[in-house]
Coordinates of all heavy atoms in Angstrom, one line a residue:
M1465 N -10.5 12.0 -37.8 CA -11.7 12.3 -36.9 C -12.1 13.8 -36.9 O -11.5 14.6 -36.2 CB -11.5 11.8 -35.5 CG -11.5 10.2 -35.4 SD -13.1 9.5 -35.8 CE -12.7 7.8 -35.9
K1466 N -13.0 14.2 -37.7 CA -13.3 15.6 -37.9 C -13.9 16.2 -36.6 O -13.5 17.3 -36.2 CB -14.4 15.8 -39.0 CG -13.8 15.4 -40.4 CD -12.8 16.5 -40.9 CE -12.4 16.1 -42.3 NZ -10.9 16.1 -42.4
P1467 N -14.8 15.5 -35.8 CA -15.4 16.1 -34.6 C -14.4 16.4 -33.6 O -14.4 17.5 -32.9 CB -16.4 15.0 -34.1 CG -16.7 14.1 -35.2 CD -15.4 14.1 -36.1
N1468 N -13.4 15.6 -33.5 CA -12.3 15.8 -32.5 C -11.5 17.1 -32.9 O -11.1 17.8 -32.0 CB -11.4 14.6 -32.4 CG -12.0 13.4 -31.8 OD1 -13.0 13.6 -31.1 ND2 -11.4 12.3 -31.9
K1469 N -11.3 17.2 -34.2 CA -10.5 18.3 -34.7 C -11.3 19.6 -34.3 O -10.7 20.6 -33.9 CB -10.3 18.2 -36.2 CG -9.6 19.3 -36.8 CD -8.1 19.4 -36.5 CE -7.4 20.4 -37.4 NZ -7.8 21.8 -37.0
L1470 N -12.6 19.6 -34.5 CA -13.4 20.7 -34.2 C -13.3 21.0 -32.7 O -13.2 22.2 -32.4 CB -14.9 20.4 -34.6 CG -15.9 21.5 -34.4 CD1 -15.6 22.7 -35.4 CD2 -17.3 21.1 -34.7
Y1471 N -13.4 20.0 -31.9 CA -13.3 20.2 -30.5 C -11.9 21.0 -30.2 O -11.9 21.9 -29.4 CB -13.3 18.9 -29.7 CG -13.2 19.0 -28.3 CD1 -14.4 19.1 -27.5 CD2 -12.0 19.0 -27.6 CE1 -14.3 19.2 -26.1 CE2 -11.9 19.2 -26.2 CZ -13.0 19.2 -25.5 OH -12.9 19.4 -24.1
C1472 N -10.9 20.5 -30.8 CA -9.5 21.2 -30.6 C -9.5 22.6 -31.0 O -9.0 23.5 -30.4 CB -8.5 20.4 -31.3 SG -8.1 18.8 -30.5
D1473 N -10.2 22.9 -32.2 CA -10.3 24.2 -32.7 C -11.0 25.1 -31.7 O -10.7 26.3 -31.5 CB -11.0 24.3 -34.0 CG -10.0 23.7 -35.1 OD1 -8.8 23.7 -34.9 OD2 -10.5 23.4 -36.2
L1474 N -12.0 24.6 -31.1 CA -12.9 25.4 -30.2 C -12.2 25.5 -28.8 O -12.2 26.6 -28.2 CB -14.3 24.7 -30.0 CG -15.2 24.9 -31.2 CD1 -16.5 24.0 -31.0 CD2 -15.6 26.3 -31.4
F1475 N -11.8 24.4 -28.3 CA -11.3 24.4 -26.9 C -9.8 24.3 -26.7 O -9.3 24.4 -25.6 CB -12.0 23.3 -26.1 CG -13.5 23.3 -26.1 CD1 -14.2 22.5 -26.9 CD2 -14.2 24.3 -25.4 CE1 -15.6 22.5 -27.0 CE2 -15.6 24.4 -25.4 CZ -16.3 23.5 -26.2
G1476 N -9.1 24.1 -27.8 CA -7.7 23.9 -27.7 C -7.3 22.5 -27.6 O -8.2 21.6 -27.2
H1477 N -6.1 22.2 -27.9 CA -5.6 20.8 -27.8 C -5.5 20.3 -26.4 O -5.3 21.1 -25.5 CB -4.3 20.6 -28.5 CG -4.4 20.9 -30.0 ND1 -5.0 20.1 -30.9 CD2 -4.0 22.0 -30.7 CE1 -4.9 20.7 -32.1 NE2 -4.3 21.8 -32.0
N1478 N -5.6 19.0 -26.3 CA -5.5 18.3 -25.0 C -4.2 17.5 -24.9 O -4.3 16.3 -25.0 CB -6.8 17.5 -24.7 CG -6.9 17.0 -23.3 OD1 -6.1 17.4 -22.5 ND2 -7.9 16.2 -23.1
Y1479 N -3.1 18.2 -24.8 CA -1.8 17.5 -24.9 C -1.5 16.7 -23.7 O -1.7 17.1 -22.5 CB -0.7 18.5 -25.2 CG -0.8 19.1 -26.6 CD1 -1.0 20.4 -26.7 CD2 -0.6 18.3 -27.7 CE1 -1.1 21.0 -28.0 CE2 -0.7 18.8 -28.9 CZ -0.9 20.2 -29.1 OH -1.0 20.7 -30.3
Q1480 N -0.9 15.5 -23.9 CA -0.4 14.7 -22.8 C 1.0 14.3 -23.2 O 1.3 14.1 -24.4 CB -1.2 13.4 -22.7 CG -2.5 13.7 -22.0 CD -3.0 12.4 -21.3 OE1 -2.8 11.3 -21.8 NE2 -3.5 12.6 -20.1
I1481 N 1.9 14.2 -22.2 CA 3.3 13.8 -22.5 C 3.3 12.3 -22.8 O 2.7 11.5 -22.1 CB 4.2 14.1 -21.2 CG1 4.3 15.5 -20.9 CG2 5.6 13.5 -21.5 CD1 5.1 15.9 -19.7
T1482 N 3.8 12.0 -24.0 CA 3.8 10.7 -24.5 C 5.2 10.1 -24.3 O 5.4 8.9 -24.3 CB 3.4 10.5 -25.9 OG1 3.9 11.6 -26.7 CG2 1.9 10.6 -26.0
K1483 N 6.2 11.0 -24.3 CA 7.6 10.5 -24.1 C 8.4 11.6 -23.5 O 8.4 12.7 -23.8 CB 8.1 10.2 -25.6 CG 9.4 9.5 -25.6 CD 9.6 9.0 -27.0 CE 11.1 8.7 -27.3 NZ 11.3 8.4 -28.7
K1484 N 9.2 11.1 -22.5 CA 10.2 12.0 -21.9 C 11.5 11.8 -22.6 O 12.1 10.7 -22.4 CB 10.2 11.7 -20.4 CG 10.5 12.9 -19.5 CD 10.2 12.5 -18.1 CE 11.1 13.3 -17.1 NZ 11.3 14.7 -17.4
V1485 N 12.0 12.8 -23.3 CA 13.3 12.6 -24.0 C 14.4 13.0 -23.1 O 15.3 12.2 -22.9 CB 13.3 13.5 -25.3 CG1 14.6 13.3 -26.0 CG2 12.1 13.2 -26.2
T1486 N 14.4 14.1 -22.5 CA 15.4 14.5 -21.5 C 14.6 15.3 -20.4 O 13.4 15.4 -20.5 CB 16.5 15.5 -22.1 OG1 15.9 16.7 -22.3 CG2 17.1 14.9 -23.3
N1487 N 15.4 15.8 -19.5 CA 14.7 16.6 -18.4 C 14.0 17.8 -19.0 O 13.0 18.3 -18.4 CB 15.8 17.1 -17.4 CG 16.0 16.1 -16.3 OD1 15.1 15.3 -16.0 ND2 17.1 16.3 -15.6
H1488 N 14.4 18.3 -20.1 CA 13.9 19.6 -20.7 C 13.1 19.3 -21.9 O 12.4 20.2 -22.4 CB 15.0 20.6 -21.0 CG 15.9 20.8 -19.8 ND1 15.5 21.5 -18.7 CD2 17.2 20.3 -19.6 CE1 16.5 21.5 -17.8 NE2 17.6 20.8 -18.3
V1489 N 13.2 18.2 -22.5 CA 12.5 17.9 -23.8 C 11.5 16.8 -23.6 O 11.9 15.7 -23.2 CB 13.5 17.6 -24.9 CG1 12.8 17.3 -26.2 CG2 14.5 18.7 -25.1
N1490 N 10.3 17.0 -24.0 CA 9.2 16.0 -24.0 C 8.6 16.0 -25.3 O 8.6 16.9 -26.1 CB 8.2 16.4 -22.9 CG 8.7 16.3 -21.5 OD1 9.4 15.4 -21.1 ND2 8.4 17.4 -20.8
E1491 N 7.9 14.9 -25.6 CA 7.0 14.8 -26.7 C 5.6 14.7 -26.2 O 5.3 14.0 -25.2 CB 7.3 13.5 -27.5 CG 8.6 13.7 -28.3 CD 9.0 12.4 -29.1 OE1 8.1 11.6 -29.3 OE2 10.1 12.4 -29.6
Y1492 N 4.7 15.4 -26.9 CA 3.3 15.5 -26.5 C 2.4 15.0 -27.6 O 2.7 15.3 -28.8 CB 2.9 16.9 -26.1 CG 3.8 17.6 -25.1 CD1 5.0 18.2 -25.5 CD2 3.4 17.6 -23.8 CE1 5.8 18.8 -24.5 CE2 4.2 18.3 -22.8 CZ 5.4 18.9 -23.2 OH 6.1 19.5 -22.3
T1493 N 1.3 14.4 -27.2 CA 0.3 14.1 -28.2 C -1.1 14.5 -27.7 O -1.4 14.4 -26.6 CB 0.2 12.5 -28.4 OG1 1.5 12.1 -28.8 CG2 -0.7 12.2 -29.6
C1494 N -1.8 15.2 -28.7 CA -3.2 15.6 -28.3 C -4.1 14.4 -28.2 O -4.1 13.6 -29.1 CB -3.7 16.6 -29.4 SG -5.4 17.1 -29.0
K1495 N -4.8 14.3 -27.1 CA -5.7 13.1 -26.9 C -6.8 13.1 -27.9 O -7.4 12.1 -28.2 CB -6.2 13.2 -25.5 CG -5.3 12.6 -24.5 CD -5.9 12.1 -23.1 CE -7.1 12.9 -22.6 NZ -7.4 12.5 -21.2
C1496 N -7.2 14.3 -28.4 CA -8.3 14.4 -29.3 C -7.9 14.1 -30.8 O -8.5 13.2 -31.4 CB -9.0 15.7 -29.2 SG -9.5 16.1 -27.5
C1497 N -7.0 14.9 -31.3 CA -6.7 14.8 -32.7 C -5.4 14.1 -33.0 O -5.0 14.0 -34.2 CB -6.8 16.2 -33.3 SG -5.4 17.3 -32.8
K1498 N -4.6 13.7 -32.0 CA -3.4 13.0 -32.2 C -2.3 13.9 -32.8 O -1.3 13.3 -33.3 CB -3.6 11.7 -33.0 CG -4.6 10.8 -32.6 CD -4.3 10.2 -31.2 CE -5.5 9.3 -30.7 NZ -5.5 9.2 -29.3
K1499 N -2.5 15.2 -32.7 CA -1.4 16.1 -33.2 C -0.2 15.9 -32.2 O -0.4 15.9 -31.0 CB -1.9 17.5 -33.2 CG -0.9 18.5 -33.7 CD -1.6 19.9 -33.7 CE -0.5 21.0 -33.8 NZ 0.0 21.2 -35.1
Q1500 N 1.0 15.9 -32.7 CA 2.2 15.7 -31.9 C 3.1 17.0 -31.8 O 3.3 17.6 -32.8 CB 3.0 14.5 -32.3 CG 2.3 13.2 -32.1 CD 3.2 12.0 -32.4 OE1 3.6 11.9 -33.6 NE2 3.5 11.2 -31.5
L1501 N 3.5 17.3 -30.6 CA 4.4 18.4 -30.4 C 5.6 17.9 -29.7 O 5.6 16.9 -29.0 CB 3.7 19.4 -29.5 CG 2.6 20.3 -30.0 CD1 2.2 21.3 -28.9 CD2 2.9 21.0 -31.3
T1502 N 6.7 18.7 -29.8 CA 7.9 18.5 -29.0 C 8.5 19.8 -28.5 O 8.1 20.9 -29.1 CB 8.9 17.7 -29.8 OG1 10.0 17.3 -28.9 CG2 9.5 18.4 -30.9
T1503 N 9.4 19.7 -27.6 CA 10.1 20.9 -27.1 C 11.3 21.1 -28.0 O 12.0 20.1 -28.3 CB 10.6 20.7 -25.7 OG1 9.6 20.0 -24.9 CG2 10.8 22.0 -25.0
N1504 N 11.5 22.3 -28.6 CA 12.6 22.5 -29.5 C 13.8 23.1 -28.6 O 13.7 23.2 -27.4 CB 12.2 23.4 -30.7 CG 11.9 24.8 -30.3 OD1 12.2 25.2 -29.2 ND2 11.3 25.5 -31.2
S1505 N 14.9 23.4 -29.4 CA 16.1 23.8 -28.6 C 15.9 25.1 -27.9 O 16.7 25.5 -27.1 CB 17.2 23.9 -29.6 OG 16.9 24.6 -30.8
N1506 N 14.9 25.9 -28.3 CA 14.6 27.2 -27.6 C 13.7 27.0 -26.3 O 13.3 27.9 -25.7 CB 13.9 28.2 -28.5 CG 14.8 28.5 -29.7 OD1 16.0 28.6 -29.6 ND2 14.2 28.6 -30.9
G1507 N 13.3 25.7 -26.1 CA 12.4 25.4 -25.0 C 11.0 25.7 -25.3 O 10.1 25.7 -24.4
R1508 N 10.7 26.0 -26.6 CA 9.3 26.3 -27.0 C 8.7 25.0 -27.6 O 9.4 24.1 -28.1 CB 9.3 27.3 -28.1 CG 9.8 28.6 -27.6 CD 8.8 29.8 -27.8 NE 9.3 31.0 -27.2 CZ 10.0 31.9 -27.9 NH1 10.2 31.7 -29.1 NH2 10.4 33.0 -27.3
L1509 N 7.4 24.9 -27.7 CA 6.7 23.8 -28.2 C 6.6 24.0 -29.7 O 6.3 25.1 -30.2 CB 5.3 23.6 -27.6 CG 5.3 23.1 -26.2 CD1 3.9 23.1 -25.7 CD2 6.0 21.8 -26.1
T1510 N 6.9 22.9 -30.5 CA 6.8 23.0 -31.9 C 6.2 21.7 -32.4 O 6.2 20.7 -31.7 CB 8.2 23.3 -32.5 OG1 8.1 23.4 -33.9 CG2 9.2 22.2 -32.2
E1511 N 5.7 21.7 -33.7 CA 5.2 20.4 -34.2 C 6.2 19.4 -34.3 O 7.4 19.7 -34.7 CB 4.6 20.8 -35.6 CG 3.5 19.8 -36.0 CD 2.7 20.3 -37.2 OE1 2.6 21.5 -37.4 OE2 2.3 19.4 -38.0
L1512 N 5.9 18.2 -34.0 CA 6.9 17.0 -34.0 C 7.0 16.6 -35.5 O 6.2 15.7 -36.0 CB 6.4 15.9 -33.1 CG 7.4 14.7 -33.0 CD1 8.7 15.1 -32.4 CD2 6.8 13.6 -32.2
T1513 N 8.0 17.1 -36.2 CA 8.2 16.7 -37.6 C 9.2 15.5 -37.5 O 9.9 15.2 -36.5 CB 8.9 17.8 -38.4 OG1 10.1 18.2 -37.7 CG2 8.0 19.0 -38.4
P1514 N 9.3 14.8 -38.7 CA 10.3 13.7 -38.7 C 11.7 14.1 -38.3 O 12.5 13.4 -37.7 CB 10.3 13.2 -40.2 CG 8.9 13.6 -40.6 CD 8.6 14.8 -39.9
K1515 N 12.1 15.4 -38.7 CA 13.4 15.9 -38.3 C 13.5 16.0 -36.8 O 14.6 15.7 -36.2 CB 13.6 17.3 -39.0 CG 15.0 17.8 -38.9 CD 15.1 19.2 -39.4 CE 16.3 19.9 -38.9 NZ 16.1 21.4 -38.9
H1516 N 12.5 16.5 -36.2 CA 12.5 16.6 -34.7 C 12.6 15.2 -34.1 O 13.2 15.1 -33.0 CB 11.3 17.4 -34.2 CG 11.5 18.9 -34.3 ND1 10.9 19.7 -35.1 CD2 12.4 19.7 -33.6 CE1 11.3 20.9 -35.0 NE2 12.2 21.0 -34.0
Q1517 N 11.9 14.3 -34.7 CA 11.9 12.9 -34.1 C 13.3 12.4 -34.2 O 13.7 11.8 -33.2 CB 11.0 12.0 -35.0 CG 9.8 11.7 -34.2 CD 8.6 11.1 -35.1 OE1 8.7 11.2 -36.3 NE2 7.7 10.5 -34.4
D1518 N 14.0 12.6 -35.2 CA 15.4 12.2 -35.4 C 16.3 12.9 -34.2 O 17.1 12.2 -33.6 CB 16.0 12.6 -36.7 CG 15.6 11.7 -37.8 OD1 15.0 10.6 -37.5 OD2 15.9 11.9 -39.0
I1519 N 16.1 14.2 -34.1 CA 16.8 14.9 -33.1 C 16.5 14.3 -31.7 O 17.5 14.1 -30.9 CB 16.5 16.4 -33.1 CG1 16.9 17.0 -34.4 CG2 17.1 17.2 -31.9 CD1 16.5 18.5 -34.6
N1520 N 15.3 14.1 -31.4 CA 14.9 13.5 -30.1 C 15.5 12.2 -29.9 O 15.9 11.9 -28.7 CB 13.4 13.5 -30.0 CG 12.8 14.9 -29.7 OD1 13.5 15.8 -29.5 ND2 11.5 15.0 -29.7
T1521 N 15.5 11.3 -30.9 CA 16.1 10.0 -30.7 C 17.5 10.1 -30.4 O 18.0 9.4 -29.5 CB 15.9 9.2 -32.1 OG1 14.5 9.2 -32.5 CG2 16.3 7.8 -31.9
A1522 N 18.2 11.0 -31.0 CA 19.7 11.2 -30.8 C 19.8 11.8 -29.3 O 20.7 11.3 -28.6 CB 20.3 12.2 -31.8
L1523 N 19.0 12.8 -29.0 CA 19.1 13.4 -27.7 C 18.8 12.3 -26.6 O 19.5 12.3 -25.6 CB 18.0 14.4 -27.6 CG 18.3 15.9 -27.9 CD1 17.1 16.7 -27.7 CD2 19.4 16.4 -26.9
E1524 N 17.8 11.5 -26.8 CA 17.4 10.5 -25.9 C 18.6 9.5 -25.6 O 18.9 9.2 -24.5 CB 16.2 9.7 -26.4 CG 15.6 8.9 -25.3 CD 14.4 8.1 -25.9 OE1 14.4 7.9 -27.1 OE2 13.6 7.6 -25.1
R1525 N 19.3 9.2 -26.7 CA 20.4 8.2 -26.6 C 21.5 8.9 -25.7 O 22.0 8.3 -24.8 CB 20.9 7.9 -28.0 CG 21.6 6.5 -28.0 CD 22.0 6.1 -29.4 NE 20.8 6.0 -30.3 CZ 20.8 6.4 -31.5 NH1 21.9 6.9 -32.1 NH2 19.8 6.3 -32.3
L1526 N 21.8 10.1 -26.1 CA 22.9 10.8 -25.3 C 22.5 11.0 -23.9 O 23.3 10.7 -23.0 CB 23.0 12.3 -25.9 CG 24.0 12.5 -27.1 CD1 23.8 13.9 -27.6 CD2 25.4 12.2 -26.6
Y1527 N 21.2 11.3 -23.6 CA 20.8 11.6 -22.3 C 20.8 10.3 -21.5 O 21.3 10.3 -20.3 CB 19.4 12.1 -22.4 CG 18.8 12.5 -21.0 CD1 19.2 13.6 -20.3 CD2 17.8 11.7 -20.4 CE1 18.6 13.9 -19.1 CE2 17.3 11.9 -19.2 CZ 17.7 13.1 -18.5 OH 17.2 13.4 -17.3
N1528 N 20.4 9.2 -22.0 CA 20.4 7.9 -21.4 C 21.8 7.5 -21.0 O 22.0 7.0 -19.9 CB 19.7 6.9 -22.2 CG 18.2 7.0 -22.1 OD1 17.7 7.7 -21.2 ND2 17.5 6.5 -23.1
N1529 N 22.7 7.7 -21.9 CA 24.1 7.3 -21.7 C 24.7 8.1 -20.5 O 25.3 7.6 -19.6 CB 25.0 7.6 -22.9 CG 24.8 6.5 -24.0 OD1 24.3 5.5 -23.7 ND2 25.2 6.8 -25.2
K1530 N 24.4 9.4 -20.5 CA 24.8 10.3 -19.5 C 24.2 9.9 -18.1 O 24.9 9.8 -17.1 CB 24.4 11.7 -19.8 CG 25.3 12.8 -19.2 CD 25.0 14.1 -19.8 CE 25.1 15.2 -18.8 NZ 24.4 16.4 -19.3
A1531 N 22.9 9.6 -18.1 CA 22.2 9.3 -16.9 C 22.7 8.0 -16.3 O 22.9 7.9 -15.1 CB 20.7 9.2 -17.2
M1532 N 23.1 7.1 -17.2 CA 23.6 5.8 -16.8 C 25.0 6.0 -16.1 O 25.2 5.4 -15.1 CB 23.7 4.8 -18.0 CG 23.3 3.4 -17.7 SD 23.5 2.4 -19.1 CE 22.3 3.0 -20.2
R1533 N 25.8 6.8 -16.8 CA 27.1 7.1 -16.2 C 27.0 7.8 -14.8 O 27.7 7.4 -13.9 CB 27.9 8.0 -17.2 CG 28.9 7.3 -18.0 CD 30.0 8.2 -18.5 NE 29.6 9.4 -19.1 CZ 29.3 9.6 -20.4 NH1 29.4 8.5 -21.2 NH2 28.9 10.7 -20.9
L1534 N 26.1 8.7 -14.7 CA 25.9 9.4 -13.5 C 25.5 8.4 -12.4 O 25.9 8.5 -11.2 CB 24.8 10.5 -13.6 CG 25.3 11.8 -14.2 CD1 24.1 12.8 -14.3 CD2 26.3 12.4 -13.2
K1535 N 24.6 7.5 -12.7 CA 24.0 6.6 -11.8 C 25.1 5.7 -11.3 O 25.3 5.4 -10.1 CB 22.9 5.7 -12.5 CG 21.9 5.2 -11.6 CD 20.8 4.6 -12.5 CE 20.0 3.5 -11.7 NZ 19.1 2.8 -12.6
R1536 N 26.0 5.2 -12.2 CA 27.1 4.3 -11.9 C 28.0 5.1 -11.0 O 28.5 4.5 -10.0 CB 27.8 3.9 -13.2 CG 28.4 2.5 -13.0 CD 29.1 2.1 -14.3 NE 28.1 1.9 -15.4 CZ 28.4 2.1 -16.7 NH1 29.6 2.5 -17.0 NH2 27.5 2.0 -17.7
K1537 N 28.3 6.3 -11.3 CA 29.2 7.1 -10.5 C 28.7 7.3 -9.0 O 29.4 7.1 -8.1 CB 29.3 8.5 -11.1 CG 30.6 9.2 -10.8 CD 30.7 10.5 -11.6 CE 31.6 11.5 -11.0 NZ 31.5 12.8 -11.6
T1538 N 27.4 7.6 -8.9 CA 26.7 7.7 -7.6 C 26.9 6.4 -6.8 O 27.1 6.4 -5.6 CB 25.3 8.1 -7.8 OG1 25.1 9.0 -8.8 CG2 24.7 8.7 -6.5
L1539 N 26.6 5.3 -7.5 CA 26.6 4.0 -6.9 C 28.0 3.7 -6.4 O 28.2 3.3 -5.2 CB 26.2 3.0 -8.0 CG 25.6 1.7 -7.4 CD1 24.2 2.1 -7.0 CD2 25.5 0.7 -8.5
T1540 N 29.0 4.0 -7.2 CA 30.4 3.8 -6.8 C 30.8 4.6 -5.6 O 31.4 4.1 -4.7 CB 31.4 4.1 -8.0 OG1 30.8 3.6 -9.2 CG2 32.7 3.5 -7.8
S1541 N 30.4 5.9 -5.6 CA 30.9 6.8 -4.6 C 30.1 6.4 -3.3 O 30.7 6.6 -2.2 CB 30.6 8.2 -5.0 OG 29.3 8.4 -5.2
S1542 N 28.9 5.9 -3.4 CA 28.2 5.5 -2.1 C 28.8 4.3 -1.5 O 28.7 4.0 -0.3 CB 26.7 5.4 -2.4 OG 26.5 4.3 -3.2
I1543 N 29.4 3.4 -2.4 CA 30.0 2.2 -1.9 C 31.3 2.6 -1.2 O 31.6 2.0 -0.1 CB 30.2 1.2 -3.0 CG1 28.9 0.6 -3.5 CG2 31.1 0.0 -2.6 CD1 29.0 -0.1 -4.8
C1544 N 32.1 3.5 -1.8 CA 33.4 3.8 -1.3 C 33.4 4.7 -0.1 O 32.8 5.4 0.3 CB 34.3 4.5 -2.4 SG 34.6 3.4 -3.7
Ligands
ZN2574 ZN1 -6.0 18.4 -30.7

């Protein structure tokens, strides 16, 4: 969609969070041109390449495991 791209060039991208990977890493998609960004290890925004997608998938898995463990721990300690 060329007109959307032009809009982005003129006014900047209109990024929305499309996926929360961890507390610090998100994936963003521009509502206009569908360009995708992600947070890299430096905390900066960078283009979402297939490599970053792989990293994010791995991060997400790790993060979810950790979050689940924490949740279970909290639950147990509140019962005891
Ligand atoms: Zn855009």
Side-chain angles (χ1 to χ4, degrees):
M1465 287 295 172
K1466 297 285 184 231
N1468 287 345
K1469 176 75 172 64
L1470 183 65
Y1471 181 92
C1472 288
D1473 284 344
L1474 286 174
F1475 301 106
H1477 297 285
N1478 192 3
Y1479 290 116
Q1480 281 211 318
I1481 296 180
T1482 42
K1483 191 167 159 190
K1484 214 169 148 43
V1485 181
T1486 71
N1487 270 341
H1488 310 287
V1489 179
N1490 295 315
E1491 285 179 14
Y1492 305 84
T1493 305
C1494 175
K1495 275 200 329 192
C1496 303
C1497 68
K1498 307 296 175 200
K1499 184 181 161 76
Q1500 290 186 298
L1501 287 188
T1502 187
T1503 322
N1504 68 12
S1505 47
N1506 299 321
R1508 298 235 173 93
L1509 289 178
T1510 183
E1511 203 168 327
L1512 184 65
T1513 58
K1515 192 185 156 204
H1516 276 110
Q1517 249 164 347
D1518 280 353
I1519 295 172
N1520 282 355
T1521 307
L1523 265 179
E1524 194 185 15
R1525 203 174 304 141
L1526 271 174
Y1527 182 75
N1528 284 339
N1529 282 344
K1530 205 170 141 195
M1532 222 184 286
R1533 259 206 306 273
L1534 275 178
K1535 208 170 154 189
R1536 210 178 296 149
K1537 204 172 158 191
T1538 320
L1539 208 71
T1540 317
S1541 56
S1542 65
I1543 290 168
C1544 293

